Amino acid sequence: MLKITNQGLFLTVKIIPNSSKNDITIEDEYIKVKVTAQPIENKANKALIELLSKKLKIAKTNIEITKGLTSKEKTVLIKITDIKKQNEIKELLIK
């Protein structure tokens, strides 16, 4: 679900497009992200990055989908190498 590397934090995400609201929940093996956007023309991926950016209080440019661009299961890289900020992000996700 969450892996710390020298590049930053890798998150395992399962995205649910066409949801009634934007929401982030923690499951056993992944982070479930519900977005209202449709899964066409990259809209759901953009909504995922925007939601993570707001929730984690980091710039959208520091978030990259590294695996699963066309899949519901994705690997997302949070490009933050500062350990203090990584711990803040972990705390925000666990809440």
Coordinates of all heavy atoms in Angstrom, one line a residue:
M1 N 0.8 -1.2 0.0 CA 0.0 0.0 0.0 C 0.9 1.3 0.0 O 0.6 2.2 -0.8 CB -0.9 0.0 1.2 CG -1.7 1.3 1.4 SD -2.9 1.3 2.7 CE -1.8 1.6 4.1
L2 N 1.9 1.3 0.8 CA 2.8 2.5 0.9 C 4.2 2.0 1.1 O 4.5 1.2 1.9 CB 2.4 3.3 2.2 CG 3.1 4.6 2.3 CD1 2.3 5.7 1.8 CD2 3.4 4.9 3.8
K3 N 5.0 2.5 0.1 CA 6.4 2.0 0.1 C 7.3 3.3 0.0 O 7.1 4.1 -0.9 CB 6.7 1.1 -1.0 CG 8.1 0.6 -1.1 CD 8.2 -0.4 -2.3 CE 9.6 -0.9 -2.4 NZ 9.8 -1.7 -3.6
I4 N 8.3 3.4 0.9 CA 9.2 4.5 0.9 C 10.5 4.1 0.2 O 11.1 3.1 0.5 CB 9.5 5.0 2.3 CG1 8.3 5.4 3.1 CG2 10.6 6.1 2.3 CD1 8.5 5.8 4.5
T5 N 10.9 5.0 -0.8 CA 12.1 4.7 -1.5 C 12.9 6.0 -1.6 O 12.5 7.1 -1.1 CB 11.9 4.3 -3.0 OG1 11.3 5.3 -3.7 CG2 10.9 3.1 -3.0
N6 N 14.1 6.0 -2.2 CA 14.9 7.2 -2.4 C 14.2 8.2 -3.4 O 14.6 9.3 -3.4 CB 16.3 6.9 -2.7 CG 16.4 6.1 -4.0 OD1 15.4 5.7 -4.6 ND2 17.7 5.9 -4.5
Q7 N 13.3 7.7 -4.2 CA 12.6 8.6 -5.1 C 11.4 9.3 -4.4 O 10.9 10.3 -4.9 CB 12.0 7.8 -6.3 CG 13.1 7.2 -7.2 CD 12.5 6.3 -8.3 OE1 11.7 5.4 -8.0 NE2 12.8 6.7 -9.5
G8 N 10.9 8.7 -3.4 CA 9.7 9.2 -2.7 C 8.8 8.1 -2.2 O 9.3 7.0 -1.9
L9 N 7.5 8.4 -2.1 CA 6.6 7.4 -1.6 C 5.8 6.8 -2.8 O 5.3 7.5 -3.6 CB 5.5 8.1 -0.7 CG 6.0 8.6 0.6 CD1 4.9 9.5 1.3 CD2 6.4 7.5 1.6
F10 N 5.7 5.5 -2.8 CA 4.9 4.8 -3.8 C 3.6 4.3 -3.1 O 3.7 3.7 -2.0 CB 5.7 3.6 -4.3 CG 6.7 3.9 -5.4 CD1 8.0 4.2 -5.1 CD2 6.3 4.1 -6.7 CE1 8.9 4.5 -6.0 CE2 7.2 4.4 -7.7 CZ 8.5 4.6 -7.4
L11 N 2.5 4.7 -3.7 CA 1.2 4.3 -3.2 C 0.5 3.3 -4.1 O 0.6 3.5 -5.3 CB 0.3 5.5 -3.0 CG 0.8 6.7 -2.3 CD1 -0.2 7.8 -2.3 CD2 1.1 6.4 -0.8
T12 N -0.1 2.3 -3.6 CA -0.9 1.4 -4.4 C -2.3 1.9 -4.2 O -2.9 1.9 -3.1 CB -0.8 -0.1 -3.9 OG1 0.5 -0.5 -3.9 CG2 -1.6 -1.0 -4.8
V13 N -2.9 2.3 -5.4 CA -4.2 2.9 -5.4 C -5.2 2.2 -6.2 O -4.8 1.7 -7.3 CB -4.1 4.4 -6.0 CG1 -5.4 5.0 -6.1 CG2 -3.2 5.2 -5.1
K14 N -6.4 2.1 -5.8 CA -7.5 1.5 -6.6 C -8.5 2.7 -6.8 O -9.0 3.2 -5.8 CB -8.2 0.4 -5.9 CG -9.3 -0.3 -6.8 CD -9.8 -1.5 -6.2 CE -10.8 -2.1 -7.1 NZ -11.4 -3.4 -6.6
I15 N -8.7 3.1 -8.0 CA -9.6 4.2 -8.3 C -11.0 3.7 -8.7 O -11.1 2.7 -9.4 CB -8.9 5.1 -9.4 CG1 -9.7 6.4 -9.6 CG2 -8.8 4.3 -10.7 CD1 -9.0 7.4 -10.4
I16 N -12.0 4.5 -8.2 CA -13.4 4.2 -8.5 C -13.9 5.4 -9.2 O -14.3 6.4 -8.5 CB -14.2 3.9 -7.3 CG1 -13.5 2.8 -6.4 CG2 -15.6 3.4 -7.6 CD1 -13.4 1.5 -6.9
P17 N -14.0 5.4 -10.6 CA -14.5 6.6 -11.3 C -16.0 6.6 -11.2 O -16.7 5.7 -10.8 CB -14.0 6.4 -12.7 CG -13.7 4.9 -12.8 CD -13.4 4.4 -11.4
N18 N -16.6 7.7 -11.6 CA -18.1 7.9 -11.7 C -18.7 7.8 -10.3 O -19.9 7.4 -10.2 CB -18.7 6.9 -12.7 CG -18.5 7.3 -14.1 OD1 -18.3 8.5 -14.4 ND2 -18.4 6.3 -14.9
S19 N -18.0 8.1 -9.3 CA -18.6 8.0 -7.9 C -19.4 9.3 -7.6 O -19.4 10.3 -8.3 CB -17.5 8.0 -6.9 OG -16.7 6.8 -7.0
S20 N -20.2 9.2 -6.6 CA -21.1 10.3 -6.2 C -20.3 11.4 -5.6 O -20.8 12.6 -5.6 CB -22.2 9.8 -5.3 OG -21.7 9.3 -4.1
K21 N -19.2 11.1 -5.0 CA -18.3 12.1 -4.4 C -16.9 11.7 -4.4 O -16.6 10.6 -4.6 CB -18.8 12.4 -2.9 CG -18.6 11.2 -2.0 CD -19.0 11.5 -0.6 CE -18.7 10.3 0.3 NZ -18.9 10.6 1.7
N22 N -16.0 12.7 -4.3 CA -14.6 12.4 -4.2 C -14.2 12.0 -2.7 O -14.6 12.7 -1.8 CB -13.7 13.7 -4.6 CG -13.9 14.0 -6.0 OD1 -14.1 13.2 -6.9 ND2 -13.8 15.3 -6.3
D23 N -13.5 10.9 -2.6 CA -13.2 10.4 -1.3 C -12.0 9.5 -1.3 O -11.7 8.9 -2.3 CB -14.5 9.6 -0.7 CG -14.3 9.3 0.7 OD1 -13.7 10.1 1.5 OD2 -14.9 8.3 1.2
I24 N -11.3 9.5 -0.2 CA -10.1 8.6 0.0 C -10.4 7.7 1.2 O -10.6 8.2 2.3 CB -8.8 9.4 0.1 CG1 -8.6 10.2 -1.1 CG2 -7.7 8.4 0.4 CD1 -7.4 11.1 -1.0
T25 N -10.3 6.4 1.1 CA -10.4 5.5 2.2 C -9.2 4.5 2.1 O -8.6 4.3 1.1 CB -11.7 4.7 2.2 OG1 -11.8 4.0 1.0 CG2 -12.9 5.6 2.4
I26 N -8.8 4.0 3.3 CA -7.7 3.0 3.4 C -8.3 1.6 3.5 O -9.1 1.3 4.4 CB -6.9 3.4 4.6 CG1 -6.4 4.8 4.6 CG2 -5.7 2.4 4.7 CD1 -5.5 5.2 3.4
E27 N -7.8 0.7 2.6 CA -8.2 -0.7 2.7 C -6.9 -1.4 3.1 O -5.9 -0.8 3.3 CB -8.6 -1.2 1.3 CG -9.8 -0.4 0.7 CD -11.1 -0.7 1.5 OE1 -11.3 -1.8 2.0 OE2 -12.0 0.2 1.6
D28 N -7.0 -2.8 3.2 CA -5.9 -3.6 3.7 C -4.7 -3.5 2.8 O -3.6 -3.3 3.2 CB -6.3 -5.0 3.8 CG -7.2 -5.2 5.0 OD1 -7.2 -4.4 5.9 OD2 -8.0 -6.2 5.0
E29 N -4.9 -3.6 1.5 CA -3.8 -3.7 0.5 C -3.6 -2.5 -0.4 O -2.6 -2.4 -1.1 CB -4.0 -5.0 -0.4 CG -4.0 -6.3 0.4 CD -4.3 -7.5 -0.4 OE1 -4.3 -7.3 -1.7 OE2 -4.6 -8.5 0.1
Y30 N -4.5 -1.6 -0.3 CA -4.4 -0.4 -1.2 C -5.2 0.8 -0.6 O -5.9 0.7 0.4 CB -5.0 -0.7 -2.6 CG -6.4 -1.3 -2.6 CD1 -7.5 -0.5 -2.6 CD2 -6.5 -2.7 -2.6 CE1 -8.7 -1.1 -2.6 CE2 -7.8 -3.3 -2.6 CZ -8.9 -2.4 -2.6 OH -10.2 -3.0 -2.6
I31 N -5.0 1.9 -1.3 CA -5.8 3.1 -0.9 C -6.9 3.3 -2.0 O -6.6 3.3 -3.2 CB -4.9 4.4 -1.0 CG1 -3.7 4.2 0.1 CG2 -5.6 5.6 -0.7 CD1 -2.6 5.1 -0.1
K32 N -8.1 3.3 -1.5 CA -9.3 3.4 -2.4 C -9.6 4.9 -2.6 O -9.8 5.6 -1.6 CB -10.5 2.7 -1.9 CG -11.7 2.7 -2.8 CD -12.9 2.2 -2.1 CE -13.1 0.7 -2.2 NZ -14.4 0.3 -1.6
V33 N -9.6 5.3 -3.9 CA -9.9 6.7 -4.2 C -11.1 6.8 -5.1 O -11.1 6.2 -6.2 CB -8.7 7.4 -4.8 CG1 -9.0 8.8 -5.2 CG2 -7.4 7.3 -4.0
K34 N -12.2 7.4 -4.6 CA -13.4 7.6 -5.4 C -13.3 9.0 -6.0 O -13.0 10.0 -5.3 CB -14.6 7.5 -4.5 CG -14.8 6.1 -3.9 CD -16.1 6.1 -3.1 CE -16.3 4.7 -2.5 NZ -17.5 4.7 -1.7
V35 N -13.6 9.1 -7.3 CA -13.6 10.4 -8.0 C -14.9 10.5 -8.8 O -15.4 9.5 -9.3 CB -12.4 10.6 -8.9 CG1 -11.1 10.7 -8.1 CG2 -12.2 9.5 -9.9
T36 N -15.4 11.7 -8.9 CA -16.6 11.9 -9.7 C -16.4 11.9 -11.2 O -17.3 11.7 -12.0 CB -17.3 13.2 -9.3 OG1 -16.4 14.3 -9.5 CG2 -17.7 13.2 -7.8
A37 N -15.1 12.0 -11.6 CA -14.8 12.1 -13.0 C -15.0 10.8 -13.7 O -14.9 9.7 -13.1 CB -13.3 12.5 -13.2
Q38 N -15.3 10.8 -15.0 CA -15.4 9.6 -15.8 C -14.0 9.1 -16.3 O -13.1 9.9 -16.4 CB -16.3 10.0 -17.1 CG -17.7 10.3 -16.7 CD -18.5 10.6 -18.0 OE1 -17.9 10.9 -19.1 NE2 -19.8 10.6 -17.9
P39 N -14.0 7.8 -16.6 CA -12.7 7.3 -17.0 C -12.4 7.4 -18.5 O -12.0 6.5 -19.1 CB -12.8 5.8 -16.6 CG -14.2 5.5 -16.7 CD -14.9 6.8 -16.3
I40 N -12.7 8.6 -19.0 CA -12.4 8.8 -20.4 C -11.5 10.1 -20.6 O -11.5 11.0 -19.7 CB -13.7 9.0 -21.2 CG1 -14.5 10.2 -20.6 CG2 -14.5 7.8 -21.3 CD1 -15.7 10.5 -21.5
E41 N -10.7 10.0 -21.6 CA -9.8 11.2 -21.9 C -8.9 11.6 -20.7 O -8.7 12.7 -20.5 CB -10.6 12.3 -22.4 CG -11.3 12.1 -23.7 CD -12.2 13.2 -24.2 OE1 -12.2 14.2 -23.5 OE2 -12.8 13.1 -25.3
N42 N -8.5 10.6 -19.9 CA -7.6 10.8 -18.8 C -8.2 11.7 -17.7 O -7.5 12.1 -16.8 CB -6.3 11.5 -19.3 CG -5.1 11.0 -18.5 OD1 -5.1 10.0 -17.9 ND2 -4.1 11.8 -18.6
K43 N -9.5 11.9 -17.7 CA -10.2 12.7 -16.7 C -10.1 12.1 -15.3 O -9.9 12.9 -14.3 CB -11.7 12.9 -17.0 CG -11.9 13.8 -18.2 CD -13.3 14.0 -18.6 CE -13.5 14.8 -19.8 NZ -14.9 14.9 -20.2
A44 N -10.3 10.8 -15.1 CA -10.2 10.2 -13.8 C -8.8 10.3 -13.2 O -8.6 10.5 -12.0 CB -10.7 8.8 -13.9
N45 N -7.8 10.1 -14.1 CA -6.4 10.2 -13.6 C -6.1 11.6 -13.1 O -5.5 11.8 -12.1 CB -5.4 9.8 -14.7 CG -5.4 8.3 -14.9 OD1 -5.8 7.5 -14.1 ND2 -5.0 7.9 -16.1
K46 N -6.6 12.6 -13.9 CA -6.4 14.0 -13.5 C -7.1 14.3 -12.2 O -6.5 15.0 -11.3 CB -6.8 15.0 -14.6 CG -6.0 14.9 -15.8 CD -6.5 15.8 -16.9 CE -5.6 15.8 -18.1 NZ -6.2 16.5 -19.2
A47 N -8.3 13.8 -12.0 CA -9.0 14.0 -10.8 C -8.3 13.3 -9.6 O -8.3 13.8 -8.5 CB -10.4 13.4 -10.9
L48 N -7.7 12.1 -9.8 CA -7.0 11.4 -8.8 C -5.8 12.3 -8.3 O -5.6 12.5 -7.1 CB -6.5 10.1 -9.3 CG -5.4 9.4 -8.5 CD1 -6.0 8.9 -7.2 CD2 -4.8 8.2 -9.3
I49 N -5.0 12.8 -9.3 CA -3.9 13.6 -8.9 C -4.3 14.9 -8.2 O -3.7 15.3 -7.2 CB -3.1 14.0 -10.2 CG1 -2.4 12.7 -10.7 CG2 -2.0 15.1 -9.9 CD1 -1.7 12.8 -12.0
E50 N -5.4 15.5 -8.6 CA -5.9 16.7 -8.0 C -6.4 16.4 -6.5 O -6.1 17.2 -5.6 CB -7.0 17.3 -8.8 CG -7.4 18.7 -8.3 CD -8.4 19.4 -9.3 OE1 -8.2 19.3 -10.5 OE2 -9.3 20.0 -8.8
L51 N -7.1 15.3 -6.3 CA -7.6 15.0 -5.0 C -6.4 14.7 -4.1 O -6.4 15.1 -2.9 CB -8.5 13.8 -5.1 CG -9.2 13.3 -3.8 CD1 -10.0 14.5 -3.2 CD2 -10.1 12.1 -4.1
L52 N -5.4 13.9 -4.5 CA -4.3 13.6 -3.7 C -3.5 14.8 -3.4 O -3.0 15.0 -2.2 CB -3.4 12.6 -4.4 CG -3.9 11.1 -4.4 CD1 -2.9 10.3 -5.3 CD2 -4.0 10.5 -3.1
S53 N -3.4 15.7 -4.3 CA -2.7 17.0 -4.1 C -3.3 17.8 -3.0 O -2.7 18.3 -2.1 CB -2.7 17.8 -5.4 OG -2.1 19.1 -5.2
K54 N -4.7 17.9 -3.0 CA -5.4 18.7 -2.0 C -5.3 18.0 -0.6 O -5.0 18.6 0.4 CB -6.8 18.8 -2.4 CG -7.1 19.8 -3.5 CD -8.5 20.0 -3.8 CE -8.7 21.0 -5.0 NZ -10.1 21.1 -5.4
K55 N -5.5 16.7 -0.6 CA -5.5 15.9 0.7 C -4.1 15.9 1.3 O -4.0 16.1 2.5 CB -6.0 14.5 0.4 CG -5.8 13.5 1.5 CD -6.9 13.6 2.5 CE -6.8 12.5 3.5 NZ -7.8 12.6 4.6
L56 N -3.1 15.7 0.5 CA -1.7 15.6 1.0 C -1.0 17.0 1.1 O 0.1 17.0 1.6 CB -0.9 14.6 0.2 CG -1.5 13.2 0.1 CD1 -0.7 12.4 -0.9 CD2 -1.7 12.6 1.4
K57 N -1.6 18.0 0.6 CA -1.1 19.4 0.7 C 0.3 19.4 0.0 O 1.3 20.0 0.5 CB -1.0 19.9 2.1 CG -2.4 19.9 2.8 CD -2.3 20.3 4.2 CE -3.7 20.2 4.8 NZ -3.7 20.0 6.2
I58 N 0.3 18.9 -1.2 CA 1.6 19.0 -2.0 C 1.2 19.4 -3.5 O 0.0 19.3 -3.9 CB 2.3 17.6 -2.0 CG1 1.5 16.5 -2.6 CG2 2.9 17.3 -0.7 CD1 2.2 15.2 -2.8
A59 N 2.2 19.8 -4.2 CA 1.9 20.3 -5.6 C 1.6 19.1 -6.5 O 2.1 18.0 -6.3 CB 3.1 21.0 -6.1
K60 N 0.7 19.3 -7.5 CA 0.3 18.3 -8.4 C 1.6 17.8 -9.2 O 1.6 16.6 -9.6 CB -0.7 18.8 -9.4 CG -2.1 19.0 -8.8 CD -3.0 19.4 -9.9 CE -3.6 20.8 -9.5 NZ -4.6 21.2 -10.5
T61 N 2.5 18.6 -9.4 CA 3.7 18.2 -10.1 C 4.6 17.2 -9.4 O 5.4 16.6 -9.9 CB 4.6 19.5 -10.5 OG1 4.9 20.2 -9.2 CG2 3.9 20.4 -11.4
N62 N 4.3 17.1 -8.1 CA 5.0 16.1 -7.2 C 4.3 14.7 -7.2 O 4.7 13.8 -6.5 CB 5.2 16.6 -5.8 CG 6.3 17.6 -5.7 OD1 7.2 17.7 -6.5 ND2 6.2 18.5 -4.7
I63 N 3.3 14.6 -8.0 CA 2.5 13.3 -8.0 C 2.5 12.8 -9.4 O 2.2 13.5 -10.4 CB 1.0 13.6 -7.6 CG1 1.0 14.2 -6.2 CG2 0.2 12.3 -7.7 CD1 -0.4 14.6 -5.7
E64 N 2.9 11.5 -9.6 CA 3.0 10.9 -10.9 C 2.4 9.5 -10.8 O 2.7 8.7 -9.9 CB 4.5 10.8 -11.3 CG 4.7 10.2 -12.6 CD 6.2 10.0 -12.9 OE1 7.0 10.7 -12.3 OE2 6.5 9.2 -13.8
I65 N 1.6 9.2 -11.8 CA 1.1 7.8 -11.9 C 2.1 7.0 -12.7 O 2.4 7.3 -13.9 CB -0.3 7.7 -12.6 CG1 -1.3 8.5 -11.8 CG2 -0.7 6.3 -12.8 CD1 -2.6 8.7 -12.5
T66 N 2.8 6.1 -12.0 CA 3.9 5.3 -12.7 C 3.5 4.0 -13.3 O 4.2 3.5 -14.1 CB 5.0 5.1 -11.7 OG1 4.5 4.3 -10.6 CG2 5.6 6.4 -11.1
K67 N 2.3 3.5 -12.9 CA 1.8 2.2 -13.4 C 0.3 2.2 -13.4 O -0.3 2.7 -12.4 CB 2.4 1.1 -12.5 CG 2.1 -0.3 -13.0 CD 2.8 -1.3 -12.1 CE 2.4 -2.7 -12.5 NZ 2.9 -3.7 -11.5
G68 N -0.3 1.7 -14.4 CA -1.7 1.5 -14.5 C -2.5 2.7 -15.0 O -3.6 3.0 -14.5
L69 N -1.9 3.4 -16.0 CA -2.6 4.6 -16.5 C -4.0 4.3 -17.0 O -4.9 5.1 -16.9 CB -1.8 5.2 -17.6 CG -0.7 6.1 -17.2 CD1 0.2 6.5 -18.3 CD2 -1.1 7.3 -16.4
T70 N -4.3 3.1 -17.6 CA -5.6 2.8 -18.1 C -6.3 1.7 -17.2 O -7.3 1.1 -17.6 CB -5.5 2.2 -19.5 OG1 -4.6 1.1 -19.6 CG2 -4.9 3.3 -20.4
S71 N -5.8 1.4 -16.1 CA -6.3 0.4 -15.2 C -6.9 1.1 -13.9 O -6.6 2.2 -13.6 CB -5.2 -0.5 -14.8 OG -5.6 -1.4 -13.7
K72 N -7.8 0.3 -13.2 CA -8.3 0.9 -12.0 C -7.3 0.7 -10.8 O -7.3 1.5 -9.9 CB -9.6 0.1 -11.6 CG -10.8 0.5 -12.4 CD -12.0 -0.2 -11.9 CE -13.2 0.3 -12.8 NZ -14.4 -0.2 -12.3
E73 N -6.3 -0.2 -11.0 CA -5.3 -0.3 -10.0 C -4.0 0.4 -10.5 O -3.6 0.1 -11.6 CB -5.0 -1.8 -9.7 CG -6.2 -2.5 -9.1 CD -5.9 -3.9 -8.7 OE1 -4.8 -4.4 -8.7 OE2 -6.9 -4.6 -8.4
K74 N -3.6 1.3 -9.7 CA -2.5 2.2 -10.1 C -1.4 2.2 -9.0 O -1.6 2.0 -7.9 CB -3.0 3.6 -10.3 CG -4.1 3.7 -11.3 CD -4.6 5.1 -11.5 CE -5.8 5.1 -12.4 NZ -5.6 4.6 -13.8
T75 N -0.2 2.5 -9.5 CA 0.9 2.9 -8.6 C 1.2 4.3 -8.8 O 1.4 4.8 -9.9 CB 2.2 2.0 -8.9 OG1 1.8 0.6 -8.8 CG2 3.3 2.3 -7.9
V76 N 1.2 5.1 -7.7 CA 1.4 6.5 -7.7 C 2.6 6.8 -6.9 O 2.8 6.4 -5.8 CB 0.2 7.2 -7.1 CG1 0.4 8.7 -7.1 CG2 -1.1 6.9 -7.9
L77 N 3.5 7.7 -7.5 CA 4.7 8.1 -6.9 C 4.5 9.6 -6.4 O 4.1 10.4 -7.1 CB 5.9 8.1 -7.9 CG 7.2 8.8 -7.4 CD1 7.7 8.1 -6.2 CD2 8.2 8.8 -8.5
I78 N 4.7 9.7 -5.1 CA 4.7 11.1 -4.5 C 6.2 11.4 -4.4 O 6.9 10.9 -3.6 CB 4.1 11.0 -3.1 CG1 2.7 10.4 -3.1 CG2 4.0 12.4 -2.5 CD1 1.7 11.1 -3.9
K79 N 6.6 12.4 -5.2 CA 8.0 12.8 -5.3 C 8.5 13.7 -4.1 O 8.8 14.8 -4.3 CB 8.3 13.4 -6.6 CG 8.0 12.6 -7.8 CD 8.2 13.4 -9.1 CE 7.5 12.8 -10.2 NZ 7.5 13.7 -11.4
I80 N 8.5 13.1 -2.9 CA 8.9 13.9 -1.8 C 10.0 13.0 -1.1 O 9.7 11.9 -0.7 CB 7.7 14.1 -0.8 CG1 6.6 14.9 -1.4 CG2 8.2 14.8 0.5 CD1 6.9 16.3 -1.7
T81 N 11.2 13.5 -0.9 CA 12.3 12.8 -0.3 C 12.6 13.2 1.1 O 13.3 12.5 1.8 CB 13.6 12.9 -1.2 OG1 13.9 14.2 -1.3 CG2 13.4 12.2 -2.5
D82 N 12.0 14.3 1.5 CA 12.2 14.8 2.9 C 11.4 13.9 3.9 O 10.2 13.7 3.8 CB 11.6 16.2 3.0 CG 11.7 16.8 4.4 OD1 12.8 16.5 5.1 OD2 10.8 17.4 4.9
I83 N 12.1 13.3 4.8 CA 11.5 12.3 5.7 C 10.4 12.9 6.6 O 9.4 12.2 6.8 CB 12.6 11.6 6.6 CG1 13.6 10.8 5.7 CG2 12.0 10.7 7.7 CD1 14.7 10.1 6.4
K84 N 10.6 14.1 7.0 CA 9.6 14.7 7.8 C 8.3 14.9 7.0 O 7.2 14.6 7.5 CB 10.0 16.1 8.3 CG 9.1 16.8 9.2 CD 9.6 18.1 9.7 CE 8.6 18.8 10.5 NZ 9.1 20.2 10.9
K85 N 8.4 15.3 5.8 CA 7.2 15.5 4.9 C 6.6 14.1 4.6 O 5.4 14.0 4.5 CB 7.6 16.2 3.6 CG 6.4 16.5 2.8 CD 5.4 17.5 3.4 CE 4.2 17.8 2.5 NZ 3.2 18.5 3.1
Q86 N 7.4 13.1 4.4 CA 6.9 11.7 4.1 C 6.1 11.2 5.3 O 5.0 10.7 5.1 CB 8.1 10.7 3.9 CG 8.7 10.9 2.5 CD 9.9 10.0 2.3 OE1 10.4 9.4 3.3 NE2 10.4 9.9 1.1
N87 N 6.5 11.5 6.5 CA 5.8 11.1 7.7 C 4.5 11.9 7.8 O 3.5 11.3 8.2 CB 6.6 11.3 9.0 CG 7.7 10.2 9.1 OD1 7.6 9.1 8.6 ND2 8.8 10.6 9.7
E88 N 4.5 13.1 7.4 CA 3.2 13.9 7.4 C 2.2 13.3 6.5 O 1.1 13.2 6.8 CB 3.5 15.4 7.1 CG 4.2 16.2 8.1 CD 4.6 17.6 7.7 OE1 4.0 18.1 6.7 OE2 5.5 18.2 8.3
I89 N 2.7 12.9 5.3 CA 1.9 12.3 4.3 C 1.3 11.0 4.8 O 0.1 10.8 4.6 CB 2.6 12.2 2.9 CG1 2.9 13.5 2.3 CG2 1.9 11.2 2.0 CD1 3.9 13.5 1.1
K90 N 2.1 10.2 5.4 CA 1.6 8.9 6.0 C 0.5 9.2 7.0 O -0.5 8.5 7.0 CB 2.8 8.2 6.6 CG 3.6 7.5 5.6 CD 4.9 6.9 6.1 CE 4.9 6.2 7.4 NZ 6.2 5.6 7.8
E91 N 0.7 10.2 7.8 CA -0.3 10.5 8.8 C -1.6 11.0 8.2 O -2.7 10.6 8.6 CB 0.2 11.6 9.8 CG 1.3 11.2 10.7 CD 0.9 10.1 11.7 OE1 -0.3 10.2 12.2 OE2 1.6 9.1 11.9
L92 N -1.5 11.8 7.2 CA -2.7 12.3 6.5 C -3.5 11.2 5.8 O -4.7 11.2 5.8 CB -2.3 13.4 5.4 CG -1.9 14.7 5.9 CD1 -1.3 15.6 4.8 CD2 -3.1 15.4 6.6
L93 N -2.8 10.2 5.3 CA -3.4 9.1 4.6 C -4.1 8.2 5.6 O -5.1 7.6 5.3 CB -2.4 8.3 3.8 CG -2.0 9.0 2.5 CD1 -0.9 8.2 1.8 CD2 -3.2 9.1 1.5
I94 N -3.5 8.0 6.8 CA -4.1 7.1 7.8 C -5.3 7.6 8.5 O -6.2 6.9 8.8 CB -3.0 6.7 8.8 CG1 -1.9 5.9 8.1 CG2 -3.5 5.9 10.0 CD1 -0.7 5.6 8.9
K95 N -5.4 9.0 8.5 CA -6.6 9.6 9.1 C -7.9 9.2 8.4 O -8.0 9.1 7.3 CB -6.5 11.1 9.1 CG -5.6 11.6 10.1 CD -5.6 13.1 10.1 CE -4.6 13.7 11.1 NZ -4.6 15.2 11.1

